[in-house]
Every structure is written in structure tokens, then in C-alpha cells.
């Protein structure tokens, strides 16, 4: 078997444009998932009973439905129901965010509830309000404790962006498929893509782990 | 016990516990406890584990709710609403058995926390005050340390400084030395003794009988959620009236 990487050399800009979109989608999805997930976690922990019920149903649903299905549903079904059409990028961002935020919410909830009651009482004892305790005592410690889990979520989110290929978002995987179809060089192209994903995600998860070992004591009460 | 005059007995008591009751499910933690704490007094609560001393302390700043009776602080019953109670808590410092320092904050930031968040004081002034308090408890050189890099005794002294930062009128100590290595107990007790000498009103739940004997003005013996006996330390440690007090003290190896 002989290898021919010339299609890659000739079309690297095409693939690089896909990589850029993958990075953009990853960053926006991670940020949006964390913001939305934090809101869901706080709603589930401290919200009124009806809201808790809604949020539990949402979290359970997202854990039971593949992200692929969520994405396809948002892109193909939502426009028919609502009459509103998402651009592929926005559909992908929305789908991934809705899905990943459910996991983020569970991680944050677990982090907050893992902090011992004494910390809350120490805050109360100096006259702090519940919201001050949440902001100044619980959340900072919970975030530190949850760093390893957040690292996993970030890597899963980046990987999930490849699914956006099915709704024609011209990200890395989609560009690779196009290129492979044109050049009849799937081995070279998909191997390259695999390596690219690895080179993005591996350092990210390692950096998060490194960072965690340095700051772990800040979350140990 | 009426033969002894208590400190500031002519003034209204700082704390009045009136038939205080507290239950946890079927367990009665406090079974109608009545007790006064006068301004400037050091009152030590002693007694076997589970006898209700810590529960009484935690009811004092409403970390636990009462099931009956009433607690008055500075001539007013404890308020029922959270915002009102938060104001009262600022006048009561509390020190916990397990320190409960905030692990993500330095010693200085721990002490300044109440000032910056609750009092909305500027960081510079808060840090100045916190530094002064850490100096007072002998930790001027540890301001930048995180709790993870402090010994148990040092952590507890930071916790005392954190409580003092709010300029409380009374300090509540919940077994402050029980979680400490024996060699660091002394440094915490000596800080507490200094506070007592300065006239701070203190309610101390403790198993340190020699501290109670030497520093307390009034000692209260608890058993099974009830007040077994109270009196000045000379009486409690040298001539207890209740047989159970004698038994409890001899269990601790105390022989007068």
C-alpha cells in the first residue's frame, strides 16, 4: 500500500478553515455549557420545587438522548415546529450546549453538595448571607474540586463538535469528509484528522490535570 | 451556689437561656436548659459527649433552631428572620472544633472575609485590621499562608482572629482544642486566656478541665440535655454538689 499526502498539502487551507471552525465551536460551546450548566445547577439546588422538577427532567432527558439526535432534531425538526431556521453553526452550538450543560450542571451540583456543612456555618457565623456564602465560599471550592471532571467535559465537548458534520457545519470532520471524497485518499486524510484532534485535546486535558494538582489544596476543607 | 457573687451580676445578663429545648428526631439534645451569662464572664460548659453543651452553643447564634424556650442576647430575644439574625451573628464570634477556615483563602483573607463581604469594608483597611489581629494571635509571619500550610494550632488561631474581626460582644468556642495535636493545644488556650484577661465575654465548650479551672468565672455541668450543676470553678472542681459531677470529673482523671 502506498501513501499519498499530496491532497492534504494541496488543500491544507481548506482543512485549516475546518480546524478554525472546530476550535471556535469548541470554545463557544464550552463557555456556553458552563454558564448554562451553572444556572441549571443553582436552579436545581436552590430553586422552587416546580423549577427543580423541570430541571431534573431536562437533565435526565439529556443523559438519555444521544447528542447526535439532539443536534439533528434541533436542525431538522425545530424549524418545522417553530418556523425558525437555525444556521448550521448555531444549531450545532445550541445542540451541544444543551446536551453538555446537563452534565456540567450535575458536576457543579455534586461539587457544591460535597463541601461540608461546617464551611457554610463558618460563613453564617460571621454574618454572611446565603448568596455571599455561595459566591465567596462554596463555588470557589467546588470549582477547584471539580476541575478533573471539567477536564473530561471539555474533552467530550471538543469531540462532540465533530458530530456537527452531519448538519453541514464546515468544521474539521466535515472538511475532511469532503476532501476524502474528492481525493479518494481517506486513510491519509482521516489519519491526519485523528492526529489533529489528539493534538488539540490531549494537551488540554493534561493542562487541566496539571493545574488541578497545583491548586487542589484550595478546595480541601 | 447563691453564696458566690458573679461578675457584673448587677447588670442585665448578656445571654439568657430560658428553658431551652432542642430535639433531633427522638433524641432530646436540650431538655429545658436555663442559664445566664454575664458581660465579661468566661463560662465553661463541661460534661460528657452528647450531653448538649455544643448544641446549646450552636443554638446561641441560631446555627440550630430551638424547639422550645427562648434565648435572649443583650436583652433581646433572638430574631426569627434570617436578615435580622445575620446582624446579631456579627456581634457573636464563633470558633469551631474543626477550625473551618476557608481553604481557598490565605490566613489574611480568611480574617478579612467578614469585613469585606459583610461590612463592605475596602480591601486595604480590612487587610490592615486583619494583619493587626493575626499579630495579636501571634501569626504576623503567616498572613500569606493558606490553611493547608498551617498547623492545627495555627489554623485555630486564625479562626479566632477571623471571629474577632467582626468585633463581637461575645465569643462562642465549640471545643476549640479537641481536634488539635497535644503540642499545639497550649498556644490556642493561651490566646483564649489573653482574650479572657481583656474582658471578652466567652462561652467555652471544653474538655480542658485545667483551662476551665483556671480561666472560667463560672462552670456549668451538663448531662443528658440538662444542667446538672453550675457554680464557680472552685466549687465545681473541689466540692461538687452532684454525685454525677464527681463521677464525670474522676473519669477525666481530675482529682481536685
Amino acid at each position: 500500500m502506498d501513501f499519498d499526502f499530496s491532497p492534504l498539502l494541496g488543500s491544507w487551507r481548506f482543512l485549516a478553515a475546518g480546524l478554525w471552525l472546530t476550535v471556535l465551536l469548541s470554545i463557544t460551546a464550552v463557555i456556553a455549557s458552563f454558564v448554562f450548566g451553572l444556572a441549571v445547577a443553582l436552579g436545581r439546588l436552590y430553586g422552587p420545587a416546580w423549577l427543580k422538577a423541570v430541571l431534573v427532567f431536562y437533565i435526565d432527558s439529556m443523559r438519555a438522548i444521544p447528542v447526535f439526535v439532539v443536534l439533528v432534531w434541533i436542525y431538522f425538526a425545530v424549524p418545522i415546529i417553530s418556523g425558525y431556521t437555525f444556521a448550521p453553526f448555531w444549531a450545532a452550538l445550541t445542540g451541544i450546549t444543551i446536551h453538555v450543560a446537563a452534565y456540567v450542571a450535575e458536576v457543579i451540583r455534586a461539587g457544591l453538595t460535597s463541601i461540608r456543612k461546617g464551611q457554610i456555618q463558618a460563613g453564617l457565623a460571621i454574618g454572611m448571607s446565603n448568596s455571599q456564602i455561595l459566591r465567596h465560599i462554596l463555588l470557589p471550592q467546588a470549582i477547584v474540586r471539580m476541575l478533573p471532571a471539567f477536564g473530561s467535559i471539555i474533552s467530550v465537548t471538543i469531540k462532540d463538535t465533530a458530530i456537527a458534520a452531519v448538519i453541514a457545519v464546515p468544521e474539521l470532520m466535515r472538511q475532511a469528509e469532503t476532501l476524502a471524497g474528492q481525493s479518494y485518499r481517506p486513510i491519509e486524510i482521516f489519519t491526519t484528522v485523528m492526529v489533529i484532534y489528539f493534538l488539540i485535546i490531549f494537551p488540554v486535558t493534561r493542562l487541566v490535570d496539571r493545574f488541578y494538582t497545583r491548586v487542589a489544596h484550595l478546595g480541601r476543607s | 451556689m447563691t453564696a458566690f457573687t458573679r461578675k457584673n451580676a448587677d447588670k442585665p445578663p448578656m445571654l439568657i437561656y430560658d428553658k431551652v429545648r432542642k430535639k433531633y428526631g427522638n433524641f432530646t439534645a436540650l431538655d429545658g436548659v436555663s442559664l445566664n451569662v454575664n458581660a465579661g464572664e468566661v463560662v465553661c460548659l463541661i460534661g460528657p459527649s452528647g450531653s448538649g453543651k455544643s448544641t446549646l452553643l450552636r443554638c446561641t447564634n441560631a446555627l440550630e433552631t430551638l424547639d422550645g424556650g427562648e434565648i435572649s442576647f443583650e436583652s433581646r430575644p433572638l430574631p426569627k428572620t434570617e436578615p435580622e439574625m445575620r446582624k446579631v451573628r456579627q456581634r457573636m464570634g464563633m470558633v469551631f472544633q474543626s477550625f473551618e477556615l476557608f481553604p481557598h483563602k490565605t490566613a489574611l483573607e480568611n480574617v478579612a472575609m467578614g469585613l469585606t463581604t459583610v461590612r463592605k469594608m475596602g480591601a486595604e483597611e480590612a487587610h490592615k485590621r486583619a494583619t493587626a489581629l493575626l499579630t495579636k494571635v501571634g501569626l504576623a509571619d503567616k498572613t500569606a499562608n493558606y490553611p493547608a500550610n498551617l498547623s492545627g494550632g495555627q489554623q485555630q488561631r486564625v479562626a479566632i482572629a477571623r471571629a474577632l474581626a467582626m468585633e463581637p460582644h461575645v465569643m462562642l468556642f465549640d471545643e476549640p482544642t479537641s481536634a488539635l495535636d497535644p503540642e499545639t493545644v497550649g498556644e490556642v488556650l493561651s490566646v483564649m486566656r489573653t482574650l479572657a484577661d481583656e474582658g471578652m465575654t466567652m462561652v467555652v465548650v471544653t474538655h480542658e478541665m485545667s483551662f476551665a479551672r483556671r480561666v472560667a468565672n463560672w462552670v456549668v455541668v451538663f448531662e443528658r440535655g440538662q444542667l446538672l450543676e453550675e457554680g464557680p470553678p472552685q466549687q465545681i472542681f473541689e466540692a461538687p454538689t452532684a454525685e454525677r459531677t464527681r463521677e464525670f470529673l474522676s473519669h477525666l482523671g481530675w482529682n481536685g
Side-chain angles (χ1 to χ4, degrees):
Chain A
M1 191 189 285
D2 58 332
F3 294 105
D4 177 10
F5 283 91
S6 61
L8 277 167
L9 295 174
S11 311
W12 71 269
R13 281 172 197 281
F14 184 72
L15 215 54
L19 175 60
W20 162 240
L21 211 55
T22 290
V23 170
L24 190 69
L25 186 56
S26 298
I27 292 172
T28 48
V30 164
I31 293 170
S33 303
F34 278 79
V35 172
F36 189 46
L38 175 64
V40 171
L42 295 181
R44 184 171 177 189
L45 276 173
Y46 309 112
W50 65 266
L51 182 64
K52 285 183 193 179
V54 171
L55 294 177
V56 168
F57 176 73
Y58 153 71
I59 291 167
D60 286 349
S61 310
M62 285 306 131
R63 293 205 289 195
I65 304 169
V67 61
F68 181 86
V69 178
V70 175
L71 239 162
V72 168
W73 192 81
I74 286 176
Y75 190 63
F76 293 106
V78 169
I80 298 168
I81 299 166
S82 68
Y84 183 80
T85 313
F86 280 106
F89 180 87
W90 291 105
L93 178 59
T94 309
I96 293 169
T97 300
I98 288 175
H99 194 261
V100 174
Y103 290 89
V104 173
E106 282 299 90
V107 166
I108 292 177
R109 187 177 69 97
L112 285 172
T113 50
S114 77
I115 292 163
R116 56 195 237 184
K117 247 180 114 192
Q119 287 284 302
I120 299 174
Q121 294 177 337
L124 286 174
I126 52 173
M128 292 174 85
S129 67
N130 287 324
S131 71
Q132 287 171 334
I133 290 170
L134 180 67
R135 272 181 294 141
H136 297 287
I137 302 175
L138 299 182
L139 270 178
Q141 290 182 55
I143 287 168
V144 170
R145 286 185 188 192
M146 295 301 115
L147 276 175
F150 288 151
S152 307
I153 289 179
I154 291 171
S155 92
V156 168
T157 308
I158 299 172
K159 288 189 276 188
D160 280 355
T161 63
I163 297 171
V166 295
I167 56 169
V169 177
E171 46 67 74
L172 184 58
M173 190 61 202
R174 175 75 178 194
Q175 301 296 77
E177 280 175 347
T178 308
L179 208 56
Q182 289 167 351
S183 65
Y184 302 104
R185 284 286 166 193
I187 293 175
E188 292 85 343
I189 289 166
F190 290 134
T191 306
T192 306
V193 165
M194 205 187 258
V195 171
I196 292 173
Y197 274 114
F198 179 84
L199 290 177
I200 299 172
I201 295 170
F202 180 74
V204 169
T205 53
R206 266 299 149 89
L207 271 175
V208 172
D209 285 349
R210 272 272 190 84
F211 183 61
Y212 175 68
T213 50
R214 286 185 56 182
V215 299
H217 71 95
L218 300 177
R220 230 175 264 140
S221 55
Chain B
M1 57 190 84
T2 43
F4 301 95
T5 43
R6 290 179 65 174
K7 209 171 175 180
N8 287 324
D10 53 327
K11 294 184 189 132
M14 179 168 281
L15 281 164
I16 302 172
Y17 300 87
D18 183 25
K19 301 187 200 71
V20 173
R21 299 175 58 82
K22 175 69 188 175
K23 278 182 145 196
Y24 297 104
N26 285 329
F27 177 72
T28 305
L30 292 173
D31 192 7
V33 171
S34 296
L35 175 72
N36 288 352
V37 176
N38 292 340
E41 273 188 325
V42 177
V43 174
C44 282
L45 313 182
I46 65 171
S49 299
S51 60
K53 346 177 262 304
S54 287
T55 306
L56 190 76
L57 205 66
R58 300 160 66 79
C59 287
T60 310
N61 65 351
L63 291 183
E64 304 280 355
T65 52
L66 300 188
D67 292 320
E70 192 175 70
I71 299 174
S72 299
F73 175 55
E74 299 187 318
S75 304
R76 285 205 183 142
L78 293 185
K80 302 276 181 250
T81 64
E82 259 306 295
E84 286 298 310
M85 193 58 222
R86 282 206 291 274
K87 288 184 197 150
V88 173
R89 286 200 189 104
Q90 292 181 44
R91 289 183 276 137
M92 298 178 173
M94 189 172 210
V95 175
F96 299 85
Q97 180 178 353
S98 47
F99 329 134
E100 300 300 348
L101 289 185
F102 308 128
H104 58 300
K105 299 281 179 190
T106 62
L108 189 77
E109 290 165 340
N110 264 278
V111 178
M113 175 75 101
L115 297 173
T116 53
T117 59
V118 180
R119 292 272 164 83
K120 313 282 180 207
M121 189 183 280
E124 199 181 328
E125 200 192 337
H127 286 186
K128 220 165 90 185
R129 277 218 219 170
T131 308
L133 284 163
L134 284 171
T135 308
K136 183 186 164 87
V137 298
L139 294 171
D141 56 333
K142 303 286 183 193
T143 53
N145 284 42
Y146 283 94
N149 299 319
L150 293 171
S151 73
Q154 291 169 335
Q155 287 190 56
Q156 194 61 300
R157 285 186 282 155
V158 174
I160 292 172
R162 177 176 69 181
L164 290 174
M166 304 305 281
E167 300 174 309
H169 299 185
V170 62
M171 285 284 284
L172 311 170
F173 290 89
D174 188 5
E175 300 195 29
T177 57
S178 298
L180 294 177
D181 294 329
E183 66 266 29
T184 64
V185 169
E187 65 196 53
V188 172
L189 291 180
S190 98
V191 168
M192 289 169 64
R193 182 162 197 156
T194 309
L195 270 184
D197 291 344
E198 289 170 5
M200 174 64 79
T201 311
M202 294 164 58
V203 185
V204 186
V205 173
T206 188
H207 293 291
E208 292 290 332
M209 292 306 140
S210 54
F211 177 83
R213 175 73 183 82
R214 268 184 264 139
V215 183
N217 308 106
W218 199 251
V219 178
V220 182
V221 189
F222 276 76
E223 192 184 51
R224 292 188 194 153
Q226 290 181 327
L227 217 149
L228 185 65
E229 180 172 4
E230 62 177 319
Q234 309 88 284
Q235 177 196 314
I236 300 294
F237 290 103
E238 276 147 39
T241 51
E243 180 54 32
R244 286 290 297 127
T245 303
R246 235 184 298 264
E247 275 174 40
F248 169 68
L249 291 173
S250 72
H251 272 301
L252 293 175
W254 184 272
N255 37 28

